Structure formats: structure tokens, C-alpha cells
Amino acid sequence: MTALRILDSHQHFWRIGGPGQVWPDGEWPLLHRDFLPHDLRGATQGMNLTGTILVQSQPDDLDTDWMLDLVADDPLVLGVVGWVALETAAAPARIAQLARHLKCVGLRPMLQSITDSEWILRDDLSPAIAAMLDHGLRFDALVQPRHLPVLARFADRWPDLPIVIDHGAKPHAADGLLDPWRGDLAALAGRSNIWCKLSGLRTEQAPGQAADALAPYVAHILDSFRDRVMWGSDWPVLLHMGDSYGDWVDDALRLAGDPDAATRARLFEGAARAFYGLGTA
């Protein structure tokens, strides 16, 4: 494991009671504590972690500002994906402000928490999406299977916007369901501006389910997106399943079929560098 170079495309920090931070609460006992850069370094001790992408976990400007301040001088965090209220008139100016931060690489609306599956198609979001394009920001799509047909329409509307699907679109792995997720995801993979993260799948399973039950989901993601798949830990959320950081590294390698060196390098580092515009190692 120590020889494997890892650029983690998806991890979180939070401080309980911190700026704009209301989740996780006491209903998530394994997550209900502070998780900060020194905790990540401890969790990955002995691994060759070359960098991370820090992703928002709160729909609040205060949390995004806190993250950017927290990691401004941290060489391990290469990029930050923040949050903006995209539907507001102030969104373009806020996006321009965030884009001046060297580490701000993208934005993530929390679509999974919005009841309206077609929210992302609202006309009042267009100025914000145009601002993202103007400033070279990426779009992290925190979606569920219900959003995939809508995401296809969104991607066709904005073909120059780089989009990455977080957590494989959170398939219904607890129930072993593959369809219609399988067909909808494959259709999205035909659009060159859409990528996918191999992350967050363990927490879509039921308690006690083995990681090996994810084999058909992992295989479909890899077969569909190929070199546009990037590994992410979803740390510390993965702790909710009782897994360690290293457990998901090992599980992903096994479920990916023990890929050759070039495929491993692309999955665990190269794809994230390419998508987020981080340059070569």
C-alpha cells in the first residue's frame, strides 16, 4: 500500500459547532466529533497520500470560508470544493470571490437534500453556472439515482462544464438494486464532460453487508467511465460503516480487479489531477 500514490478526490473536514456546521449530529456517533487535517494525517499514516480534494459538507457560506482558511497553507489539500446558493442573485459575485482563492476548484450544491429532482434545471441558476464556467470551476454532482436523467439534461445544456458524479450517484446498494441506475449511469458516461467518483459506496450499504457485495456497482462504474473514474475516500464519513481509510483503499483495489500499474495510477491519482486541473505530479 505504501507504494501506491493516492490523490484522494473526496474527503471532508468539520468542527462540531463550527461556522455554519450543523451536521453530523448525535445520530451519527462515530462522526460526531471534530475531523481536522491532523486527523487525516493520522488516518493515512504509512500511505503515500500525495494530496486531497476537500469537499463541502454543509450548505453554508460560512463553512466554505472556514474550509478555505483552514487549508490555505496546508500542502496536503490541493483543492477545495465549496458551496454557493446558486439560485440567488448574489451567486455570480460570490463565485467570482471564491475563484480568487487559489485552492477553490469547484462547487457542490447538495442536490440529494433537495426534494425537487429537477431543481438543477431552474432558469434562475443559469447566471451562477455561467459564472462557474467563466472562472474555470468544476461541478460536483451530489446526486441519487433519481437525478440521473435530469443530470443528463443539465450536462447537455452546459456541455463545457466539467461535472463529476459523487459516490457513483449513490446506488441502492443496501437493497442490491442495479436498475434503472445502471442504464442511466451508462448513458451519462457517453458525455465527455461527465466523470465519476469511486467513493461513498460503503455507506450506501446496510449494516453488516460485506464490501464484496459492491462488486457489480464498482464494475459498472469502471466499465462505463474508464479513465474518467477517480478514487475518493469519503473520509471520515466512511467511518460510519466501521471501516478505516485503508480498508476502502484495499476494498477498491480488490473490487477493481487488481488493476495494472497504469490503471491504478489513473484511478488513484491521474484522473483527479486531470479533472480538477491540478497538473502533473
Side-chain angles (χ1 to χ4, degrees):
M1 187 182 299
T2 56
L4 177 66
R5 291 175 58 89
I6 298 173
L7 198 172
D8 187 344
S9 72
H10 201 104
Q11 55 88 198
H12 306 285
F13 293 138
W14 56 70
R15 177 176 286 132
I16 300 301
Q21 297 169 21
V22 298
W23 184 89
D25 56 23
E27 294 184 6
W28 300 76
L30 296 178
L31 307 182
H32 191 235
R33 67 174 182 84
D34 296 350
F35 285 95
L36 299 168
H38 71 272
D39 298 297
L40 177 62
R41 285 179 166 86
T44 59
Q45 188 172 6
M47 301 180 195
N48 190 6
L49 187 64
T50 65
T52 76
I53 300 296
L54 173 60
V55 180
Q56 63 81 228
S57 59
Q58 319 288 329
D60 196 299
D61 290 329
L62 294 175
D63 174 64
T64 294
D65 291 339
W66 174 83
M67 289 192 302
L68 288 166
D69 289 344
L70 178 69
V71 303
D73 299 317
D74 191 329
L76 187 62
V77 178
L78 304 180
V80 174
V81 174
W83 178 90
V84 167
L86 299 177
E87 74 280 10
T88 65
R94 171 64 171 166
I95 289 168
Q97 174 195 15
L98 291 176
R100 289 194 288 271
H101 289 264
L102 294 178
K103 289 193 176 183
C104 185
V105 294
L107 298 175
R108 183 173 85 149
M110 302 194 78
L111 301 180
Q112 70 171 10
S113 301
I114 298 174
T115 302
D116 180 5
S117 297
E118 297 195 355
W119 182 88
I120 196 60
L121 299 177
R122 286 172 46 161
D123 289 338
D124 57 355
L125 272 61
S126 293
I129 303 303
M132 290 183 66
L133 279 168
D134 290 343
H135 293 286
L137 297 181
R138 282 72 173 162
F139 186 98
D140 264 62
L142 178 60
V143 295
Q144 297 166 327
R146 63 186 170 99
H147 295 101
L148 294 181
V150 179
L151 188 60
R153 294 162 60 192
F154 177 75
D156 290 343
R157 182 179 294 183
W158 302 98
D160 296 324
L161 180 68
I163 299 168
V164 62
I165 299 170
D166 290 348
H167 313 324
K170 296 196 162 190
H172 299 298
D175 299 317
L177 298 178
L178 285 166
D179 299 314
W181 170 85
R182 179 164 45 187
D184 291 340
L185 196 74
L188 283 170
R191 293 161 170 83
S192 61
N193 61 321
I194 302 186
W195 300 52
C196 192
K197 290 185 181 180
L198 186 63
S199 62
L201 297 179
R202 283 286 283 141
T203 46
E204 296 309 307
Q205 293 185 280
Q209 281 185 311
D212 286 352
L214 294 170
Y217 300 97
V218 172
H220 186 63
I221 290 169
L222 294 173
D223 289 345
S224 298
F225 287 90
R226 299 186 180 274
D227 65 351
R228 285 177 286 135
V229 182
M230 62 195 77
W231 181 88
S233 69
D234 199 26
W235 180 94
V237 180
L238 65 85
L239 302 178
H240 180 65
M241 290 296 285
D243 286 4
S244 70
Y245 195 106
D247 288 335
W248 179 235
V249 174
D250 292 341
D251 288 341
L253 281 169
R254 185 179 68 258
L255 292 167
D258 191 20
D260 61 37
T263 303
R264 282 199 310 271
R266 181 70 179 183
L267 175 62
F268 280 88
E269 183 175 23
R273 286 192 178 278
F275 178 80
Y276 287 111
L278 301 177
T280 57

